[in-house]
Amino acid sequence: GIGAFSGCRDLKRVYVSDLSSWCGIDFMDFVANPLSYAGELFLNGLPVRNLVIPSDITTVKDYLFINCPFIESVAIHKDVTDIAHSAFMGCNSLKRVEFDTPSVAPWFSGNLSVNEILLGKNVTDVADGAFGGCLSLKRVEFNCPSVAPWFNGNTSLAEVSFGSGVTNVDADALKGCMALKKVEIDTD
C-alpha cells in the first residue's frame, strides 16, 4: 500500500528470488517499494548490475527499480510495450540501455548517467524527446531498419554505429551532433 516502507531508513538491501514476480508488484508510491531506501536489489543472492527484463513481462511498472544506484545496464526485450517514467528514477549508475521494443517512448529522458543506447532490429518508432536531457549520451548503436532525427542536436554524442539492418537514415538524423567524432557502418 501507500507508504508501506516509509521511514525505513536503515534498510540496505532487497532480496528477491523471482524477478518476474517482483516486476508484477504494483507499488502505489515510491516509499511503497523497499528499494526507495535500500537501493540495492539482489536476485537469488547476487547483486543486480546488468538487468534483463524477464521475457514474460510486458510492462515495467511505476517505481519498480527506483533508487537502484548499482544497476549499470538494462536490456528491454521486444514484447515490452510500456515502461513507467518513474520505473528507473534514481538509477544513477545506469550507463547502457538496450531496446528491442517496437516503440521507444521517453522512458529514460532526463537520465544524466546513460551514455550508451542500443536500438535493436525490432525498433521501428522512437518518440520525440525519447532521449532528451540524456546529457551524458556518448554512443548510439542502430540496428533498427530506419533512423529518424531522434538524436539531432545532442551535443554529447561522439560515436554512432549503423548495423547491417539499417536500410534508411532520414535527413537531419544527426544534425547538430557537434561532438560526433566516429561513425561505423556495417556493410555485411
Side-chain angles (χ1 to χ4, degrees), residues 1 16 27 31 36 43 58 69 91 101-102 138 143 150-151 163 168 171 177:
V16 299
F27 294 108
V31 289
S36 64
L43 177 61
T58 58
C91 293
T101 57
K138 302 285 186 223
N143 290 306
W150 302 320
F151 297 95
N168 180 58
C177 294

Side-chain angles (χ1 to χ4, degrees), residues 20-168:
S20 290
S21 293
W22 175 260
C23 290
I25 298 172
D26 287 314
F27 294 108
M28 304 306 285
D29 63 6
F30 74 98
V31 289
N33 184 335
L35 285 173
S36 64
Y37 290 106
E40 190 159 18
L41 179 64
F42 284 75
L43 177 61
N44 296 318
L46 299 173
V48 175
R49 302 287 185 258
N50 301 303
L51 176 64
V52 177
I53 302 299
S55 61
D56 61 330
I57 299 302
T58 58
T59 299
V60 181
K61 299 177 181 182
D62 279 319
Y63 312 112
L64 197 57
F65 298 103
I66 191 169
N67 291 340
C68 284
F70 300 104
I71 293 178
E72 297 171 0
S73 69
V74 175
I76 303 161
H77 62 82
K78 66 181 177 63
D79 295 324
V80 172
T81 57
D82 188 38
I83 298 175
H85 188 69
S86 64
F88 294 97
M89 189 168 58
C91 293
N92 298 328
S93 295
L94 186 58
K95 303 289 183 209
R96 178 181 169 94
V97 181
E98 298 177 31
F99 294 95
D100 206 20
T101 57
S103 295
V104 176
W107 300 320
F108 292 89
S109 67
N111 186 303
L112 300 177
S113 62
V114 172
N115 62 28
E116 183 175 11
I117 293 173
L118 175 109
L119 297 171
K121 65 180 185 203
N122 290 307
V123 175
T124 56
D125 181 49
V126 176
D128 289 342
F131 305 106
C134 292
L135 302 178
S136 298
L137 187 60
K138 302 285 186 223
R139 183 174 191 282
V140 177
E141 183 176 329
F142 298 98
N143 290 306
C144 48
S146 184
V147 177
W150 302 320
F151 297 95
N152 65 4
N154 182 300
T155 57
S156 62
L157 187 60
E159 181 179 332
V160 295
S161 174
F162 296 97
S164 60
V166 176
T167 57
N168 180 58

